[in-house]
């Protein structure tokens, strides 16, 4: 799971995300093997999903990052991937990602025929440093948009097994780092993904 070649690609991508003139997004294909994806899907599909509101034509499930969830074993593979990936981020992320804690774990499901999402920015009031999404199954295009002209867009690889990374603010009062405007296109095959993010829950004062 997440071999040395992946680590090299992750290091390069993190540098690129926060570089000048970056799209603020990128992806690494074949981050997970077919077998790894299937094992995680076995845990993901029976989770309790709730319908998204607004610009998202899909549903989401949040996995509590607490002792009870870990002990139950229901999400063993998901927690194992989170822990392995979190260790990698702390190792290769330089000062940018040092001591990052992936304490927000979420599953997204877009059924066949879903329109995906409208162009949007993941709420910068909650998520920091980097937002990571592993595509578990399904096919739909993933776009990064020009915020001043939504018709101008670039497609990012998002096939099953791919890790998609989005730039996020470094800290709550970071007014410089702009998360990328993005969207998911029409879904032609049931799409599941697993996301990890660093969320500051307490003592977060925004001005």
């Amino acid at each position: 799971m997440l071999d040395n070649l992946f680590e090299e690609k992750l290091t390069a991508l993190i540098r690129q995300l926060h570089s000048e003139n970056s799209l603020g997004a990128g992806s690494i294909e074949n981050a997970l093997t077919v077998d790894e994806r299937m094992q995680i899907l076995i845990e993901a599909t029976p989770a309790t999903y709730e319908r998204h509101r607004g610009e998202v034509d899909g549903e989401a499930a949040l996995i509590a990052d607490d002792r009870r969830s870990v002990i139950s074993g229901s999400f063993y593979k998901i927690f194992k991937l989170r822990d392995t990936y979190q260790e990698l981020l702390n190792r290769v992320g330089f000062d940018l990602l040092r001591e990052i804690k992936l304490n927000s774990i979420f599953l997204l499901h877009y059924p066949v025929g879903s329109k995906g999402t409208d162009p949007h920015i993941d709420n910068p009031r909650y998520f920091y440093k980097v937002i990571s999404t592993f595509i578990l199954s399904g096919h739909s295009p993933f776009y990064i948009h020009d915020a001043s002209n939504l018709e101008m867009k670039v497609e990012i690889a998002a096939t099953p097994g791919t890790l998609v990374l989005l730039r996020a603010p470094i800290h709550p009062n970071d007014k410089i780092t702009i998360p990328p405007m993005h969207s998911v296109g029409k879904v032609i095959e049931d799409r599941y993904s697993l996301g990890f993010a660093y969320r500051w829950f307490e003592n977060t004062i925004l001005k």
Side-chain angles (χ1 to χ4, degrees):
M1 181 180 287
L2 309 183
D3 59 17
N4 291 336
L5 179 58
F6 173 84
E7 182 172 343
E8 292 176 11
K9 292 179 178 179
L10 181 63
T11 303
L13 181 53
I14 289 172
R15 286 187 184 276
Q16 178 263 321
L17 283 184
H18 286 268
S19 64
E20 190 174 357
N21 300 321
S22 168
L23 289 173
S27 60
I28 301 173
E29 296 185 89
N30 301 312
L32 297 177
T33 66
V34 173
D35 183 59
E36 288 167 345
R37 290 193 291 109
M38 293 302 102
Q39 291 182 43
I40 293 173
L41 271 172
I42 289 172
E43 297 180 348
T45 49
T48 302
Y49 289 83
E50 293 186 2
R51 184 75 182 173
H52 252 301
R53 298 178 181 178
E55 70 275 356
V56 179
D57 184 19
E59 54 187 9
L62 299 179
I63 299 176
D65 183 19
D66 57 25
R67 182 176 174 79
R68 184 169 55 183
S69 294
V70 175
I71 290 176
S72 73
S74 300
F75 302 110
Y76 174 79
K77 294 294 183 182
I78 289 174
F79 279 109
K80 182 178 180 182
L81 175 60
R82 190 279 304 269
D83 293 345
T84 302
Y85 179 58
Q86 179 175 274
E87 182 181 338
L88 267 178
L89 284 179
N90 276 282
R91 189 158 69 239
V92 308
F94 325 109
D95 290 339
L96 172 67
L97 301 180
R98 186 166 294 164
E99 297 183 357
I100 189 171
K101 296 177 182 177
L102 300 178
N103 53 8
S104 182
I105 308 171
F106 49 93
L107 295 161
L108 299 174
H109 174 225
Y110 299 93
V112 175
S114 163
K115 72 174 185 178
T117 74
D118 295 332
H120 67 285
I121 292 175
D122 291 333
N123 197 331
R125 291 171 59 88
Y126 299 122
F127 297 121
Y128 300 100
K129 299 182 182 286
V130 65
I131 301 171
S132 309
T133 303
F134 288 88
I135 310 301
L136 302 177
S137 69
H139 292 277
S140 57
F142 186 90
Y143 299 109
I144 301 299
H145 296 260
D146 184 326
S148 61
N149 181 357
L150 297 182
E151 295 303 314
M152 294 183 63
K153 57 188 180 183
V154 176
E155 184 171 354
I156 299 293
T159 53
T162 297
L163 168 64
V164 176
L165 289 182
L166 299 179
R167 174 177 64 198
I170 305 304
H171 52 75
N173 294 315
D174 179 2
K175 307 298 184 183
I176 298 175
T177 305
I178 302 173
M181 181 80 67
H182 59 281
S183 68
V184 174
K186 186 173 181 179
V187 180
I188 59 175
E189 182 183 344
D190 228 23
R191 184 182 192 270
Y192 281 90
S193 60
L194 169 63
F196 300 117
Y198 179 27
R199 183 170 181 175
W200 289 10
F201 290 94
E202 63 278 326
N203 300 325
T204 301
I205 300 175
L206 298 174
K207 299 179 180 180

